[in-house]
Amino acid sequence: VSAFDTESFIIDLKDRFFKNYPIVPLRQQIGGTPAIMAICEDDDGIFWFLQERMGLYTYNAKTGELKSYKDFPQTKNLELHSVVTLEKSKQEGKIWVAPLSNTVIYQMRQENLHMYLDKEINLSHTAPNPGSIRTLYEDRTGNLWIGTDNGLFMYSAKDNVSMPIHSVGGRVSAITQTTDGMIWICTEDGYLYKIKSPEERESFYIKKDFMAMDATSDGVLWLGTKQGNVYRYLSDTGEL
């Protein structure tokens, strides 16, 4: 759990333990309590996180060692001062990074906390007005789905090309995938989309300002709204 103005922490629901991570080196750097705005753990157990006003860091929780993107020649000039989301990639050892209020996505990796840029995707090369990136989701086939405040895009790792999904518009707030392989998109203006392929989709207008969504292994979608309400959506019956 990334925490604002207090220690970040881990809650283990299986073994029922709770552990704080005060990140002492960062406290020493900023002269105060860390404000972690986004967090992600890679395949090596290294945490990537965004410290408010300081940018992207890699952190080894076992040794306490900490590195900033500014420490490395390849990343110090990238737009990593503020990040809207960090997502672990299904490609081993890699993560996706989306800078705040931007059309660019970085695929990155680390070796001994040293950050490397492997790939850059720029949606402005795909559409004239793609909007700023808000959310990312990599599906089980390796396609990266990208939600912006002006619609939906898909990046095919196989073909190394990104494309707009013209049938989905509005401010995309969350993306997930159910066990049947369907991609689900929700928007702030109350739409829920079910996507089988870039050319095939269904839409449902539910009149809720959705902000978050996830799917459980039984095919049920869970959706959260701006008002703090949580809903269960049964995809086979359409019941909310």
Side-chain angles (χ1 to χ4, degrees):
V1 179
S2 60
F4 186 87
D5 205 30
T6 187
E7 290 92 351
S8 296
F9 55 91
I10 286 178
I11 302 172
D12 189 311
L13 300 178
K14 182 178 179 181
D15 296 329
R16 298 185 180 180
F17 76 82
F18 179 96
K19 183 174 182 179
N20 278 328
Y21 289 88
I23 317 180
V24 174
L26 183 60
R27 296 172 75 97
Q28 294 170 343
Q29 280 189 28
I30 64 178
T33 304
I36 307 300
M37 310 303 291
I39 195 166
C40 165
E41 185 182 13
D42 69 17
D43 291 313
D44 295 329
I46 299 299
F47 289 102
W48 298 67
F49 65 79
L50 176 76
Q51 161 64 32
E52 188 184 37
R53 297 190 299 275
M54 298 292 288
L56 187 65
Y57 285 83
T58 46
Y59 173 61
N60 187 327
K62 294 180 180 178
T63 66
E65 189 178 0
L66 182 76
K67 294 292 183 181
S68 165
Y69 78 99
K70 299 175 185 177
D71 295 333
F72 311 112
Q74 192 187 24
T75 59
K76 66 180 182 180
N77 294 319
L78 297 179
E79 298 185 58
L80 296 172
H81 183 264
S82 190
V83 171
V84 67
T85 186
L86 300 169
E87 296 291 336
K88 181 180 175 181
S89 173
K90 290 181 172 58
Q91 299 178 46
E92 187 175 356
K94 299 183 180 183
I95 69 162
W96 296 103
V97 183
L100 183 67
S101 302
N102 213 303
T103 62
V104 172
I105 303 159
Y106 302 125
Q107 187 182 60
M108 302 180 68
R109 60 184 169 86
Q110 60 79 29
E111 295 178 11
N112 298 318
L113 300 184
H114 189 126
M115 297 183 197
Y116 295 92
L117 174 67
D118 283 348
K119 186 176 295 181
E120 179 177 326
I121 304 166
N122 194 330
L123 297 183
S124 64
H125 299 160
T126 302
N129 183 27
S132 297
I133 295 165
R134 306 185 73 214
T135 187
L136 303 173
Y137 184 84
E138 186 177 356
D139 68 23
R140 293 194 288 271
T141 63
N143 294 321
L144 182 67
W145 298 83
I146 307 158
T148 77
D149 53 17
N150 199 28
L152 180 70
F153 295 79
M154 188 196 79
Y155 170 76
S156 168
K158 178 182 178 181
D159 300 322
N160 192 28
V161 65
S162 55
M163 65 187 76
I165 308 299
H166 296 292
S167 58
V168 177
R171 293 172 59 84
V172 175
S173 50
I175 308 168
T176 194
Q177 185 174 27
T178 43
T179 51
D180 57 4
M182 297 298 104
I183 301 295
W184 291 84
I185 316 292
C186 65
T187 67
E188 286 188 23
D189 54 357
Y191 279 95
L192 187 61
Y193 295 92
K194 177 182 177 182
I195 298 179
K196 185 176 182 180
S197 73
E199 297 79 26
E200 298 179 69
R201 65 93 170 157
E202 296 178 60
S203 64
F204 313 92
Y205 184 50
I206 305 180
K207 297 182 181 179
K208 304 290 182 184
D209 49 358
F210 296 123
M211 293 297 294
M213 176 175 58
D214 207 348
T216 45
S217 58
D218 54 1
V220 175
L221 289 174
W222 295 85
L223 300 111
T225 69
K226 273 186 178 180
Q227 285 72 36
N229 297 316
V230 178
Y231 294 92
R232 186 179 68 162
Y233 182 79
L234 302 179
S235 56
D236 53 346
T237 64
E239 180 186 356
L240 186 68

